[in-house]
Amino acid sequence: MRIQLNGESFELPDGQTVAELIARLDLTGRRIAVEVNEDIVPRSQHDTLALREGDHVEVVHAIGGG
């Protein structure tokens, strides 16, 4: 299936979850935020939320500062 990842076309196997996408991107354990179709996905839902064809996914790194 094809999704939009940070504005770029990205190919994934069907039924891939947010957690599997994060692992594929080598971002597991990092401080990131994930948004699917303009909705923030809580970390507690990363394992269960399956991505679908055409989803728009944004993955951003959390940066501390003051």
Side-chain angles (χ1 to χ4, degrees), residues 20-50:
E20 291 167 328
L21 172 63
I22 291 168
R24 179 183 286 265
L25 298 172
D26 287 329
L27 297 174
T28 302
R30 300 234 178 125
R31 292 176 44 116
I32 59 170
V34 180
E35 188 178 275
V36 176
N37 300 324
E38 300 184 2
D39 291 322
I40 294 174
V41 180
R43 188 175 301 272
S44 63
Q45 295 179 11
H46 287 186
D47 287 331
T48 57
L49 182 65

